[in-house]
Amino acid sequence: MPETACWMITGASRGLGRAFAEAALEAGDRVVAAARDVTPLDGLAERHPGRLVRLPLDVSDRDAVFAAVDEAVAAFGRLDVVVNNAGGLLYGMVEEATEQQIRDHFDVNFFGAVWVSQAVVAKLREQGGGRLLQVTSMGSGGGMASVGFYGAGKAALEAVSEALAMEVEEFGIKVTVLQMGGYDTGLFTAGTTATEPDPAYKALRARLAGMWGDDAGPDPATAAPLVREVAAMQEPPRRLVVGGKSFDMVRELHAARAREYDATERLSRLAPG
């Protein structure tokens, strides 16, 4: 990453995207901040004149994404780091979700991220390299009741991102999946679409509420220094859990999965494939 880098960050008006944009600007970098509503960024633009470009963007609109990436490159002449952060939460049980809710959710969380990836890869290849950071979740490694569609979208994005990393590495483009821990981003308030609750799941909802508690997590700004460090690495990891507590949880999940594989090995080996 150059001494003064040019960033493009989607979902930049709040939460993690806003924190990453603020950190980049404080470090002297330039930022193209994209969001459906960019008015929350007005004050930030006033504090950093000439170094913040605000782009209204709905990432589910593929044509709009490609036009926005063209505009982003034109603004500063290049893009060094692209953070695919825009997303939302579909909260509810699998049975409860409507077809439209599911499609709308994947249009943003999966397809929107894919459109951004497609649009920026061509630009990064032309300029000889760059960084693409794909924001997913530490919970994408397995399904969880009431947030199954959120995990599914993030898991799909991770699979595509790992394939993309292999495809573009020879062009000097480094792709990293950032499996974010539980930060206080407003995802469960402003970023949430909820299903109509079915009374059949009342007891499960109560158990989940008790398990999660009221802790909203740390300030998103605390994750920004790590993200900047990853963006600057010569050989960044392809997958990274962001958050020490979340790292421990993911490692335990993988250990539990390994134990499951061991317990079912005999059954698996009954088939020749």
Side-chain angles (χ1 to χ4, degrees):
M1 189 166 69
E3 186 173 339
T4 301
C6 299
W7 295 62
M8 180 177 180
I9 304 171
T10 65
S13 62
R14 63 176 177 83
L16 291 166
R18 172 70 180 242
F20 299 160
E22 290 181 346
L25 290 166
E26 291 295 336
D29 293 342
R30 293 174 289 180
V31 176
V32 176
R36 287 178 186 257
D37 178 12
V38 295
T39 53
L41 297 167
D42 289 349
L44 197 59
E46 291 173 3
R47 295 198 298 274
H48 301 279
R51 292 194 292 113
L52 175 64
V53 172
R54 291 157 289 170
L55 283 183
L57 177 63
D58 176 357
V59 296
S60 67
D61 184 336
R62 189 174 188 270
D63 290 340
V65 167
F66 276 74
V69 170
D70 285 340
E71 191 173 344
V73 173
F76 296 130
R78 63 180 291 114
L79 291 175
D80 300 299
V81 185
V82 177
V83 184
N84 227 339
N85 170 72
L89 175 69
L90 175 53
Y91 176 76
M93 308 304 169
V94 171
E95 179 187 359
E96 297 170 344
T98 67
E99 178 182 355
Q100 195 59 54
Q101 286 177 326
I102 297 167
R103 291 185 182 278
D104 288 347
H105 181 75
F106 275 82
D107 274 346
V108 174
N109 282 33
F110 177 67
F111 288 109
V114 171
W115 306 153
V116 172
S117 299
Q118 289 182 327
V120 301
V121 159
K123 304 297 185 184
L124 299 181
R125 182 174 61 243
E126 289 171 7
Q127 69 187 27
R131 301 287 185 270
L132 177 56
L133 308 181
Q134 309 281 60
V135 175
T136 68
S137 168
M138 52 84 70
S140 59
M144 180 70 180
S146 78
V147 289
F149 291 109
Y150 179 76
K154 293 301 188 182
L157 177 57
E158 289 189 6
V160 168
S161 298
E162 291 191 345
L164 180 63
M166 296 175 64
E167 295 165 358
V168 302
E169 189 172 24
E170 65 182 280
F171 307 126
I173 303 171
K174 306 295 185 182
V175 180
T176 298
V177 170
L178 298 175
Q179 296 181 310
M180 305 304 301
Y183 290 87
D184 186 9
T185 64
L187 181 66
F188 281 88
T189 52
T192 295
T193 297
T195 61
E196 183 67 31
D198 186 323
Y201 296 102
K202 182 178 180 180
L204 175 57
R205 277 190 161 86
R207 292 197 300 273
L208 291 171
M211 181 175 64
W212 287 338
D214 298 324
D215 184 7
D219 190 315
T222 60
L226 171 59
V227 172
R228 286 187 53 78
E229 181 175 342
V230 171
M233 293 175 68
Q234 190 74 19
E235 294 296 333
R238 287 190 178 177
R239 182 189 294 261
L240 180 71
V241 178
V242 180
K245 182 178 179 180
S246 298
F247 177 86
D248 291 338
M249 293 172 66
V250 171
R251 184 163 58 181
E252 175 53 36
L253 174 63
H254 283 287
R257 289 279 168 79
R259 292 192 292 270
E260 289 178 4
Y261 286 134
D262 290 342
T264 58
E265 180 181 2
R266 183 190 66 81
L267 288 173
S268 296
R269 295 193 182 281
L270 292 177

